[in-house]
Amino acid sequence: MHWVGNANELNSSYAADAYARIKGIGALVTSFGVGELSAINAIGGAYAKKSPVVHIVGTPPITTQRAGACLHNSLGDGNFRVFANMYKHVTVAQANLVDVEVAPALIDATLKECLRQSRPVYIEIPTDRVRAQVPAPKSPINISIRGHNEDFDDQMINRVMARIQACKKPMILVDGLSARFGIKAEVNVLVTMTGFPTLTTPYGKGIIKEDLVNFHGVHLGSVGEVVTQT
């Protein structure tokens, strides 16, 4: 793991987002309260754009939180859940590592959702749990889709193929989620092998090799120029 420091939390969250888009998953660490709130704009953007980012937040000691103490970086009202509750709206899973016995399972479950849904997650680590000894995970993280049915896949493939073969003017429109879910290479193979006219949405720009003879640019929908092919 390579540590990269940033001037502020917002920069670090945008950097983690960019890293996740290129490498498959990114992470950042911030302080409780003001630190995590500085990062929330970029985390919200990562949520909207389906970027798998792990936001790790260092929180006050558990005893201090339970006592409702008035601490810096808090709102001074003894409520230490207010910031975590904000993050529930821009993350797909949250974990508060207060119990060392279940911490590994919580981490794995949270990371699984980050990868499975390709969206940010939120992990809290109280400062008095940083050096705690935890049991080793019982098995590697399983990110397979529950209830996956290969027969259903075959049926869908056959239906898609039937529609393609019956289509008089087939074309391919590529969106950004092709990259988020790791099928960029496969989509390029499909475009190359079929030779079908291909466009991308603005969100999908850069996914398709733009020097392909059947690539025709970015489709902007109703805001784009009307082009008539004769």
Side-chain angles (χ1 to χ4, degrees):
M1 183 178 293
H2 180 60
W3 173 266
V4 178
N6 284 267
N8 59 58
E9 297 85 359
L10 184 60
N11 286 356
S12 66
S13 50
Y14 277 124
D17 181 0
Y19 187 90
R21 297 185 190 205
I22 296 171
K23 297 292 187 178
I25 190 170
L28 72 149
V29 180
T30 70
S31 63
F32 163 81
V34 293
E36 59 186 313
L37 290 186
S38 175
I40 198 169
N41 282 340
I43 297 299
Y47 182 91
K49 296 298 184 179
K50 284 187 173 288
S51 187
V53 176
V54 181
H55 187 176
I56 303 167
V57 179
T59 59
I62 296 172
T63 53
T64 303
Q65 294 188 48
R66 289 173 178 169
C70 181
L71 291 184
H72 68 288
N73 288 5
S74 74
L75 299 181
D77 59 359
N79 181 5
F80 290 93
R81 305 308 307 153
V82 60
F83 307 122
N85 289 336
M86 292 179 185
Y87 264 84
K88 288 181 180 180
H89 299 283
V90 291
T91 57
V92 294
Q94 305 82 33
N96 189 8
L97 308 182
V98 297
D99 186 341
V100 296
E101 294 300 321
V102 299
L106 286 176
I107 293 171
D108 283 2
T110 304
L111 294 179
K112 178 178 179 179
E113 290 307 307
C114 182
L115 293 169
R116 191 178 70 84
Q117 299 191 47
S118 190
R119 273 183 162 159
V121 295
Y122 178 86
I123 299 177
E124 299 173 73
I125 304 180
T127 55
D128 55 349
R129 290 293 186 267
V130 172
R131 299 185 182 277
Q133 298 294 311
V134 299
K138 296 180 180 179
S139 60
I141 299 175
N142 179 10
I143 60 172
S144 61
I145 299 174
R146 184 183 302 175
H148 178 65
N149 188 324
E150 292 186 1
D151 291 336
F152 179 78
D153 287 350
D154 292 338
Q155 293 176 21
M156 292 300 102
I157 291 172
N158 290 334
R159 290 178 64 178
V160 170
M161 289 300 298
R163 290 202 172 193
I164 291 175
Q165 291 168 359
C167 185
K168 295 180 179 179
K169 293 183 178 180
M171 64 162 287
I172 298 173
L173 180 64
V174 179
D175 193 33
L177 296 186
S178 302
R180 295 295 180 271
F181 289 102
I183 58 171
K184 180 178 178 179
E186 289 84 348
V187 171
N188 273 277
V189 170
L190 176 66
V191 170
T192 302
M193 290 183 64
T194 62
F196 293 162
T198 300
L199 300 97
T200 70
T201 64
Y203 185 24
K205 180 170 173 55
I207 292 176
I208 300 301
K209 297 176 182 178
E210 299 189 0
D211 58 351
L212 293 174
V213 295
N214 54 322
F215 178 73
H216 295 280
V218 178
H219 177 61
L220 296 176
S222 60
V223 301
E225 296 181 4
V226 177
V227 178
T228 303
Q229 184 176 6
T230 58

